[in-house]
């Protein structure tokens, strides 16, 4: 999901026009309401400057995060009743839209990073294996005829981590000591 910069700038401009229209109502707003509208107007202008700072047609992850956090903060400052209700609801919904785009872009970036990291496994039969092990033993015996005392102590530790793939391009991590298969990522077939 990507947010289109021109469309979002139009929505913010429309929201700012609504704020300015409310501010021009003569007797329906108190002084504190007018102060809130003035603050909202300046915040919207600041957001428009943030969005106007790039020529790229879509917002990046940082811009989506900034948009979402600022609009959420504005939505919480506005009272959910009276003439502010539509503005509060619109700010809240735009903040949710920004969060969704932010999460989607962050997920896509993480996925691309994992695909690059595990691209070498994108061949049939490719795998990577790391093993570690250790063993300690001790034996004590007396008398060659078996008429004495005999003791044996042994301790062993082993582990393995194996990365492998399947026909669909999924990369799995298998850990030694049992067969636990945990999917890590999906490498695009044919890339």
């Amino acid at each position: 999901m990507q947010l289109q910069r021109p469309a979002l700038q139009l929505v913010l401009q429309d929201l700012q026009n609504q704020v300015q229209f409310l501010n021009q109502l003569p007797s329906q707003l108190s002084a504190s309401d007018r102060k809130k509208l003035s603050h909202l107007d300046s915040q919207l202008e600041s957001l428009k400057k943030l969005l106007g700072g790039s020529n790229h047609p879509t917002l990046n992850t940082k811009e989506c995060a900034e948009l979402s956090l600022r609009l959420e903060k504005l939505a919480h400052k506005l009272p959910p009743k009276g003439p502010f209700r539509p503005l509060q609801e619109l700010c809240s919904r735009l903040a949710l839209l920004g969060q969704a785009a932010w999460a989607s872009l962050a997920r896509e970036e993480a996925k691309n990073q994992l695909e690059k990291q595990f691209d070498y496994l994108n061949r049939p039969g490719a795998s990577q294996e790391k093993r570690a092990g250790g063993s300690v033993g001790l034996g004590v015996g007396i008398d060659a005829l078996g008429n004495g005392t005999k003791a044996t102590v042994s301790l062993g530790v082993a582990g393995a981590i194996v990365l492998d793939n399947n026909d669909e391009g999924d990369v799995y991590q298998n850990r030694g000591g049992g067969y636990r298969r945990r999917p890590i990522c999906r490498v695009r077939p044919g890339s």
Side-chain angles (χ1 to χ4, degrees), residues 16 37-47:
Q16 195 172 24
L37 283 174
S38 175
H39 176 70
L40 179 61
D41 190 39
S42 66
Q43 289 296 317
L44 290 173
E45 189 63 38
S46 171
L47 276 173

Side-chain angles (χ1 to χ4, degrees), residues 1-155:
M1 167 183 220
Q2 293 186 340
L3 293 179
Q4 301 297 319
R5 189 177 305 274
L8 197 54
Q9 287 173 327
L10 287 174
V11 170
L12 289 176
Q13 180 61 49
D14 188 45
L15 186 59
Q16 195 172 24
N17 290 343
Q18 288 180 16
V19 168
Q20 291 169 354
F21 174 75
L22 281 176
N23 209 9
Q24 292 173 358
L25 294 176
S27 62
Q28 296 178 354
L29 298 174
S30 66
S32 67
D33 287 345
R34 290 191 188 281
K35 187 176 179 180
K36 287 177 187 174
L37 283 174
S38 175
H39 176 70
L40 179 61
D41 190 39
S42 66
Q43 289 296 317
L44 290 173
E45 189 63 38
S46 171
L47 276 173
K48 282 174 39 183
K49 285 180 184 175
L50 171 79
L51 295 178
S54 172
N55 292 332
H56 198 270
T58 59
L59 271 61
N60 62 28
T61 307
K62 184 179 177 184
E63 290 171 328
C64 286
E66 184 76 22
L67 175 78
S68 172
L69 294 173
R70 283 190 184 185
L71 284 172
E72 187 174 9
K73 194 174 184 180
L74 281 176
H76 286 295
K77 285 185 177 182
L78 292 173
K81 55 186 173 188
F84 292 105
R85 178 161 174 67
L87 297 175
Q88 190 264 351
E89 189 172 325
L90 186 57
C91 285
S92 180
R93 290 181 186 219
L94 284 173
L96 285 175
L97 183 66
Q99 285 177 357
W102 177 14
S104 177
L105 289 171
R107 179 188 175 281
E108 196 64 34
E109 287 175 6
K111 180 183 167 195
N112 289 339
Q113 182 182 2
L114 283 173
E115 284 178 351
K116 288 177 188 173
Q117 184 180 353
F118 295 108
D119 189 46
Y120 67 94
L121 291 170
N122 193 20
R123 295 182 311 276
S127 67
Q128 176 185 4
E129 187 171 335
K130 293 180 183 178
R131 292 192 178 271
S135 183
V136 175
L138 172 67
V140 176
I142 301 176
D143 196 3
L145 299 174
N147 294 332
T149 309
K150 191 176 187 180
T152 303
V153 175
S154 181
L155 175 65

